[in-house]
Amino acid sequence: MSDKKKRDQGGADIVKGKASPIHGVDLPGGDVIGRPLRKADGLDKATGLALYTDDIQFPDMLHAKILRSPLPHARIKSIDYSEALAMDGVVDVMVGSELPIPYCVIPWTRDETALCTDKVRFIGDGVAAVAAVDEATAIEACKRIKVDYEALKPILTIEAAKQPPEDEAIHVGNRRGNQHKYVDLSFGDLDAGFRHSTSIAHDDYYFHGTTHAPIEPHCAIGKPEPGGQLCIISATQVPHYLQRELARVLGMAQQNIRVIQPALGGAFGGKSEPFDLEFVVAHLARKTGRPVKCLYTREEVFYSHRGRHPMAMNFKVGLDDEGKIQAVRSKIDLDGGAYSSFGLVTTYYAGQLLTGPYDFASYGFTSTRYYTNKPCCGPKRGHGSVQPRFAFECALDEAAAGLGLDPMTVRERNTMPRVATTVNGMRVQSNGFLACLQAARKASGWDEKWGKLPRGRGIGVAGSMYISGTNYPVYPNEMPQSGVTVQLDRSGRALVLCGASDIGQGSDSMFTYIVAEELGIEPGHVRIVSSDTDLTPVDLGAYSSRITFMAGNACIDACRRLRKLLLEAAATALGQSAKRLRLAGGYAVAVDDTAVSLPMQEVFRLAEAENGTLSASGWYNTPLLGGEYRGGTIGSSPAYSFTCHVAEVDIDLETGELRVPKVWVAHDCGRALNPVIVEGQMEGSTYMGAAELMMEDQDFYPADHAAPGLHLGPSLLDYPIPTSSEVPEFEALIIESLDPEGPYGAKEAGEGPLHSTIPAIANAIHDAVGIRLKTLPITAAKIWRALQETH
Amino acid sequence: MAESVLKLKINGFVRRVAVSDQETLLEVLRYTLGLTGSKQGCDKGDCGACTVLVDGEPVLACLSLAKRNADKEILTIEGLSGPEGPHAVQDAFDNAGAMQCGFCQPGMILSAAALLERDPEPDDEAIRHALSGNLCRCTGYTRIFTAVRQAAGIEADRKGVDPRPAPAPPVDPKLP
């Protein structure tokens, strides 16, 4: 596939002459970087040896189960667990009042407790937990806990949440009723922008709820250790934030809590904050003095959720005579579910991340998040901006149609400059969007297809932009966002220590490649210890597509300190100037005479003899970024990735059945440190986006149903995710714009390539049958109905 | 609940285990025998992460009662590789970059190995069909299809991929 790779070498021009404090600008020869190497943990996983959380057992371990609310909204009047506690095999029971300190991953919106203390807010809210000798006993004991509820009227829609609460607000004391967060921002002169527009598209769109559905369910083990310490092993993607919140809620010193994340079976944002089971196993381990494990059932995974927010969106896009975007205005309501989660950020992201890849001078959004009595929404891959991107890109096509413009042309015409500051103050230093459009246009045969395919078949395009990490950590501090320590061993090995979470995206492999590149050793001689808060420097975790950019830069920083010592040692031994030496392929070698060389193992030993034990730490922190207004830092990132999708569809005009035979995804990842892994992220993102449009639906029975608030089908059968038989064909086209601050020029690839999948398919449906479907998911039934109406 | 001692032939060895009537094969493999390579993703037969081969055929271990597998040949992911190294399918999955989180892979690899046993040169449709009971949430399946084709020898390995494991560090006898 690498021969298909399209390089945007023109991007290098923005690098020239810029002095950056970050090492990423100078590009090495690429002995390792840029090659399609195997992953560091590939064979471990292929042979079944990799240990995931539920694979870990401890002697004397207990099993915990959480009793969950059968009601969507109710006060807890009393809990009687005496019968459960008396059962043979039950060791302990806990209730919410034992851990009443509220938590949230965002410290400003702590509105959740480990287990409910006074009321339940969705079907599935945790009420009590049992520790027993085995899981079956714990399940049986949960059934014998008597909870007396006083039912309250459930609030299940955005519209209901806007009304004054009939019984009481979901969070009593919230001064805005069931409104959680309100953001209203405007930039430039919107009125003038729409006055100058000759074609205006203005419509309502709706993005439904979808969930992450990682194949590994959440699991956690709490383990008491000597000296009053507590070790939590968890399927989390944010060990550092989990450690902080555990310490607060348990009332323990942070240094007495160790969080370890073993191999992780998928996350996609669904494991990026603390969950009830982590507090439960920690507390029960502390109470019983024994290790305690809790494994969610698949049903619990659906109810714990934190997935994509349903959004009701009104979008207005204005184009002038030439098809230039003059103004964009949106009003967005978010259905947040029962708690905050990352919701404060989501509310901002819904507006803040839409100001690229197109250049426009006036923009405004009003974004409001509401509490409802449903599982809490949060960040899912492409956090906050996947939903408005769908609406925006559909509206852009509509407005372009008003001018008779080709959707590809209107996007090319509006592409922002390579180096730019967006209307809301985001700094963009590398931008390969135009190359993405051109690559996808060519590969897909756009010019021969758009508007020319027979009825029922169509092609569509959409573009997007996404962050490579956020500028500010979720709790304000001046310390590095990522730290990496590299130790060199006289056997010839390097050990990398970093708090970053490999959740399958390949961050451990990324460290391997960087160390091998920088120190000239074989990738197989690099060992990684990651995501263990006792052993590794802090990295803030796997979210916001931050690890390659931030931890990658930190790793280069550590390596360059060691590299200097290694080059000096080799130079002395070989009688050469250090400048004339390369470290590559396991040797220090003279650039002009390859016969002059020394194995790296010997170089390590010489350097250790000269300098003492070899170890260095490197770190990364973002420069000061963001607009000068309240919320101006939310969405500001050191670099932005760019994506273009072109999708082809094939619709059965009799039944409305939608097939997506192929999707082309062109993504500007700055630089592909390993093109196989980057293409894997692009394909996986595109698959997930296509699935959201075509079939996935995280929805709940309405208020007038016998079981309001109940999930429609919390299983991997009823919540369909595409099988190998249903998945479209993908073609990944890598574009490299070389970001001046990214490691070797790299930016993110894990989330950006999801966004524009959805509008590209929606736009292709329009090309195929001339109908504009504005409510997701787009099922055969919806297409069929629309086809009937247009007849 | 009734219990019995069961003889299971797993990865070529007979194992005697005490099981209760309602215990599944997956529970016995994972929690009694410590063969944790077989994963539990849903515990109701929807995801395929628990797939093992019983007499060469893919079976969902979470839906199969342990006692119904007496005297059958069970192959788990741990038994697929041997002293000679990983099985060709395992190696191809690693080589093709088919692995992201890896959680679905033991089941997926066993389904692929069973396919290649009965159809050494499957076409794309046969590959898609054979793996349709194993859900993957990371990859979009593209690279998994590539891996199966590579293992079957239908598609050449991607050029430039390093052989694994890496060679041992060069040993210099002069070193202390």
Side-chain angles (χ1 to χ4, degrees), chain A residues 20 22-28 33-34 468 510-511 514 517-518 545-557 560 620 638-639 669-674 736 738-748:
Chain A
S20 164
I22 291 149
H23 300 297
V25 289
D26 53 289
L27 301 163
I33 293 302
S468 294
M510 182 265 302
F511 291 130
I514 289 179
E517 175 73 48
E518 292 294 325
S545 277
R546 52 176 296 288
I547 290 184
T548 293
F549 200 95
M550 298 192 182
N553 269 321
C555 186
I556 294 175
D557 189 29
R560 296 269 163 112
Y620 175 81
C669 65
R671 185 155 195 227
L673 303 186
N674 178 334
E736 297 182 307
L738 304 181
D739 187 83
E741 292 185 10
Y744 312 106
K747 305 185 284 193
E748 74 92 37

Coordinates of all heavy atoms in Angstrom, one line a residue, chain A residues 20 22-28 33-34 468 510-511 514 517-518 545-557 560 620 638-639 669-674 736 738-748:
Chain A
S20 N 12.3 26.6 16.4 CA 11.3 26.1 17.3 C 12.0 25.5 18.5 O 13.1 24.9 18.3 CB 10.4 25.1 16.7 OG 9.7 24.4 17.6
I22 N 11.2 23.0 19.9 CA 10.8 21.6 19.9 C 11.7 20.9 18.8 O 12.0 21.4 17.8 CB 9.3 21.4 19.6 CG1 8.6 21.9 20.9 CG2 9.0 20.0 19.4 CD1 7.3 22.5 20.6
H23 N 12.1 19.7 19.2 CA 13.1 19.0 18.4 C 12.5 18.5 17.0 O 13.3 18.1 16.2 CB 13.7 17.8 19.1 CG 14.3 18.1 20.4 ND1 15.5 18.9 20.4 CD2 14.0 17.9 21.7 CE1 15.8 19.1 21.7 NE2 15.0 18.5 22.4
G24 N 11.2 18.4 16.9 CA 10.6 17.8 15.8 C 11.0 18.3 14.4 O 10.8 17.6 13.5
V25 N 11.5 19.6 14.4 CA 11.7 20.2 13.1 C 12.8 19.6 12.3 O 12.7 19.5 11.0 CB 11.9 21.7 13.2 CG1 10.6 22.4 13.6 CG2 13.0 22.0 14.2
D26 N 13.8 19.1 12.9 CA 14.9 18.6 12.1 C 14.7 17.1 11.8 O 14.5 16.3 12.8 CB 16.3 18.9 12.7 CG 16.4 18.4 14.1 OD1 15.8 19.1 15.0 OD2 17.1 17.5 14.3
L27 N 14.6 16.8 10.6 CA 14.2 15.4 10.2 C 15.4 14.5 10.0 O 16.3 14.9 9.3 CB 13.4 15.5 8.9 CG 12.2 16.4 9.0 CD1 11.7 16.8 7.6 CD2 11.1 15.8 9.7
P28 N 15.4 13.4 10.7 CA 16.5 12.5 10.6 C 16.4 11.7 9.3 O 15.4 11.8 8.5 CB 16.4 11.6 11.8 CG 14.9 11.6 12.0 CD 14.4 12.9 11.6
I33 N 11.9 5.7 11.4 CA 10.7 6.6 11.2 C 10.3 6.5 9.8 O 11.1 6.7 8.9 CB 11.1 8.0 11.7 CG1 11.4 8.1 13.2 CG2 10.0 9.0 11.3 CD1 10.2 7.6 14.1
G34 N 9.0 6.3 9.6 CA 8.4 6.3 8.3 C 8.4 4.9 7.6 O 7.9 4.8 6.5
S468 N -4.5 18.0 17.7 CA -3.5 17.0 18.1 C -3.1 17.3 19.5 O -2.2 18.0 19.8 CB -2.2 17.1 17.2 OG -2.5 16.8 15.9
M510 N 5.2 3.5 19.0 CA 5.7 4.8 18.7 C 7.0 5.1 19.4 O 8.0 5.6 18.9 CB 4.6 5.9 18.9 CG 4.9 7.3 18.6 SD 5.5 8.3 20.0 CE 4.3 8.2 21.2
F511 N 7.0 4.8 20.7 CA 8.2 5.0 21.5 C 9.4 4.1 21.0 O 10.5 4.6 20.9 CB 8.0 4.6 23.0 CG 7.1 5.6 23.7 CD1 6.0 5.1 24.5 CD2 7.3 7.0 23.7 CE1 5.2 6.0 25.2 CE2 6.5 7.8 24.4 CZ 5.4 7.3 25.1
I514 N 10.8 5.7 17.9 CA 11.6 6.9 18.1 C 12.9 6.6 18.8 O 14.0 7.1 18.4 CB 10.8 7.9 19.0 CG1 9.6 8.5 18.2 CG2 11.7 9.0 19.6 CD1 8.7 9.4 18.9
E517 N 15.2 5.0 16.2 CA 15.7 6.1 15.3 C 16.8 6.9 15.9 O 17.8 7.2 15.3 CB 14.5 6.9 14.9 CG 14.8 8.1 14.0 CD 15.1 7.7 12.6 OE1 14.4 6.9 12.0 OE2 16.2 8.1 12.0
E518 N 16.5 7.4 17.1 CA 17.4 8.4 17.7 C 18.7 7.8 18.2 O 19.8 8.4 18.1 CB 16.7 9.1 18.9 CG 15.6 9.9 18.5 CD 16.0 11.2 17.7 OE1 17.1 11.7 18.0 OE2 15.3 11.6 16.8
S545 N -6.3 12.9 21.1 CA -5.3 12.6 20.1 C -4.0 13.3 20.4 O -3.4 13.9 19.6 CB -5.8 13.1 18.7 OG -6.6 12.1 18.1
R546 N -3.5 13.1 21.7 CA -2.4 13.9 22.2 C -1.1 13.2 22.2 O 0.0 13.8 22.3 CB -2.7 14.5 23.5 CG -3.2 13.5 24.6 CD -3.4 14.1 25.9 NE -2.2 14.6 26.5 CZ -1.2 13.8 26.9 NH1 -1.3 12.5 26.9 NH2 -0.1 14.3 27.4
I547 N -1.1 11.8 22.2 CA 0.1 11.1 22.7 C 1.2 11.2 21.7 O 2.4 11.5 22.1 CB -0.2 9.6 23.0 CG1 -1.1 9.6 24.3 CG2 1.0 8.8 23.2 CD1 -1.4 8.2 24.9
T548 N 1.0 10.9 20.4 CA 2.1 11.0 19.5 C 2.8 12.4 19.5 O 4.0 12.5 19.6 CB 1.6 10.7 18.0 OG1 1.2 9.3 18.0 CG2 2.8 10.9 17.0
F549 N 1.9 13.4 19.5 CA 2.5 14.7 19.5 C 3.3 15.0 20.7 O 4.4 15.5 20.7 CB 1.4 15.8 19.3 CG 1.8 17.1 18.8 CD1 1.8 17.4 17.4 CD2 2.3 18.0 19.6 CE1 2.3 18.6 16.9 CE2 2.8 19.2 19.2 CZ 2.8 19.5 17.8
M550 N 2.6 14.8 21.9 CA 3.2 15.2 23.1 C 4.3 14.2 23.7 O 5.4 14.6 24.0 CB 2.1 15.5 24.1 CG 1.2 16.6 23.7 SD 0.1 17.1 25.0 CE -0.9 18.4 24.1
A551 N 3.9 13.0 23.8 CA 4.8 12.0 24.4 C 5.9 11.7 23.3 O 7.0 11.4 23.7 CB 4.1 10.7 24.7
G552 N 5.6 11.8 22.1 CA 6.6 11.6 21.0 C 7.7 12.7 21.1 O 8.9 12.4 21.1
N553 N 7.2 13.9 21.3 CA 8.2 15.0 21.5 C 9.0 14.8 22.8 O 10.2 15.1 22.8 CB 7.5 16.4 21.5 CG 7.4 17.0 20.2 OD1 8.4 16.9 19.4 ND2 6.3 17.6 19.8
A554 N 8.4 14.4 23.9 CA 9.1 14.1 25.1 C 10.1 13.0 25.0 O 11.2 13.1 25.5 CB 8.1 13.8 26.2
C555 N 9.8 12.0 24.2 CA 10.7 10.9 24.0 C 11.9 11.3 23.2 O 13.0 11.0 23.5 CB 9.9 9.8 23.3 SG 10.9 8.3 23.1
I556 N 11.6 12.1 22.2 CA 12.8 12.7 21.4 C 13.7 13.5 22.3 O 14.9 13.4 22.2 CB 12.3 13.5 20.2 CG1 11.5 12.7 19.2 CG2 13.4 14.2 19.5 CD1 10.9 13.5 18.0
D557 N 13.1 14.3 23.1 CA 13.8 15.2 24.0 C 14.7 14.3 24.9 O 15.9 14.6 25.1 CB 12.8 15.9 24.9 CG 13.5 17.0 25.7 OD1 14.5 17.5 25.3 OD2 12.9 17.3 26.8
R560 N 17.6 12.7 22.8 CA 18.6 13.6 22.3 C 19.7 13.9 23.4 O 20.8 14.1 23.1 CB 18.0 14.9 21.8 CG 17.1 14.7 20.6 CD 17.8 14.8 19.2 NE 17.0 14.3 18.2 CZ 16.4 15.0 17.2 NH1 16.5 16.3 17.1 NH2 15.7 14.4 16.3
Y620 N 7.4 17.4 27.5 CA 6.8 18.3 26.5 C 5.7 19.1 27.2 O 4.9 18.5 28.0 CB 6.1 17.5 25.4 CG 5.3 18.4 24.4 CD1 6.0 19.1 23.4 CD2 3.9 18.6 24.6 CE1 5.3 20.0 22.6 CE2 3.3 19.5 23.8 CZ 3.9 20.2 22.8 OH 3.2 21.0 22.0
P638 N -1.6 22.5 19.7 CA -0.4 22.8 19.1 C -0.4 22.5 17.6 O 0.4 23.1 16.8 CB 0.7 22.0 19.8 CG -0.1 20.9 20.6 CD -1.5 21.5 20.8
A639 N -1.2 21.6 17.1 CA -1.3 21.3 15.7 C -2.6 20.7 15.3 O -3.3 20.1 16.2 CB -0.2 20.3 15.3
C669 N -1.6 13.7 8.4 CA -1.1 13.3 9.7 C 0.2 14.0 10.0 O 0.9 13.6 11.0 CB -1.0 11.8 9.9 SG 0.3 11.1 8.8
G670 N 0.6 15.0 9.2 CA 1.9 15.6 9.4 C 3.0 14.8 8.9 O 3.6 15.1 7.9
R671 N 3.3 13.7 9.6 CA 4.3 12.7 9.1 C 3.9 11.4 9.6 O 3.6 11.2 10.8 CB 5.7 13.0 9.5 CG 6.7 12.1 8.9 CD 8.1 12.7 8.8 NE 8.9 12.0 7.9 CZ 10.2 11.6 8.2 NH1 10.7 11.9 9.4 NH2 10.9 10.9 7.4
A672 N 3.8 10.4 8.8 CA 3.5 9.0 9.2 C 4.7 8.4 9.8 O 5.6 7.9 9.1 CB 2.9 8.2 8.1
L673 N 4.8 8.3 11.2 CA 5.9 7.7 11.8 C 6.0 6.2 11.4 O 7.1 5.6 11.3 CB 5.8 7.8 13.3 CG 5.8 9.3 13.8 CD1 5.8 9.4 15.3 CD2 6.8 10.2 13.2
N674 N 4.8 5.6 11.3 CA 4.7 4.2 10.7 C 3.5 4.2 9.9 O 2.3 4.2 10.4 CB 4.6 3.2 11.9 CG 4.5 1.8 11.3 OD1 4.0 1.5 10.2 ND2 4.9 0.8 12.1
E736 N 1.4 14.1 4.0 CA 2.3 14.5 5.1 C 2.7 16.0 4.9 O 3.4 16.4 4.0 CB 3.6 13.7 5.0 CG 3.3 12.2 5.3 CD 4.5 11.3 5.3 OE1 5.2 11.4 4.3 OE2 4.7 10.6 6.2
L738 N 4.2 17.8 7.4 CA 5.3 18.1 8.2 C 5.1 19.4 9.2 O 5.4 20.5 8.8 CB 6.6 18.4 7.4 CG 6.9 17.2 6.4 CD1 8.2 17.6 5.7 CD2 7.1 15.9 7.2
D739 N 4.5 19.1 10.3 CA 4.2 20.2 11.2 C 5.5 20.6 11.9 O 6.3 19.8 12.3 CB 3.2 19.7 12.3 CG 2.8 20.9 13.2 OD1 1.9 21.6 12.8 OD2 3.4 21.1 14.2
P740 N 5.7 21.9 12.0 CA 7.0 22.4 12.5 C 7.3 22.0 14.0 O 8.4 22.0 14.4 CB 7.0 23.9 12.3 CG 5.5 24.2 12.1 CD 4.9 23.0 11.5
E741 N 6.2 21.7 14.7 CA 6.4 21.4 16.1 C 6.1 19.9 16.4 O 6.3 19.5 17.5 CB 5.5 22.3 17.0 CG 6.0 23.7 17.0 CD 5.2 24.6 18.0 OE1 4.4 24.1 18.8 OE2 5.3 25.8 17.9
G742 N 5.6 19.2 15.5 CA 5.3 17.8 15.7 C 6.6 16.9 15.7 O 7.6 17.3 15.1
P743 N 6.6 15.8 16.4 CA 7.8 14.9 16.4 C 8.0 14.4 14.9 O 7.2 13.7 14.4 CB 7.4 13.8 17.3 CG 5.9 13.8 17.4 CD 5.5 15.2 17.1
Y744 N 9.1 14.8 14.4 CA 9.5 14.5 12.9 C 8.4 15.1 12.0 O 8.2 14.6 10.9 CB 9.6 13.0 12.7 CG 10.5 12.3 13.7 CD1 10.0 11.5 14.6 CD2 11.9 12.5 13.7 CE1 10.8 10.9 15.6 CE2 12.7 11.9 14.6 CZ 12.1 11.1 15.6 OH 12.9 10.5 16.5
G745 N 7.6 16.0 12.5 CA 6.6 16.6 11.7 C 5.2 16.0 11.9 O 4.2 16.4 11.3
A746 N 5.1 15.0 12.8 CA 3.8 14.3 13.0 C 2.7 15.0 13.7 O 3.0 15.8 14.6 CB 4.1 12.9 13.7
K747 N 1.5 14.7 13.3 CA 0.3 15.1 14.0 C -0.6 13.9 14.3 O -0.1 12.8 14.1 CB -0.5 16.2 13.2 CG 0.4 17.3 12.7 CD -0.4 18.4 12.0 CE -0.7 18.0 10.6 NZ -1.3 19.1 9.7
E748 N -1.8 14.1 14.6 CA -2.6 13.0 15.0 C -3.2 12.2 13.8 O -3.3 12.8 12.7 CB -3.8 13.4 15.9 CG -4.9 14.2 15.2 CD -6.0 13.3 14.8 OE1 -6.4 12.3 15.5 OE2 -6.6 13.6 13.7

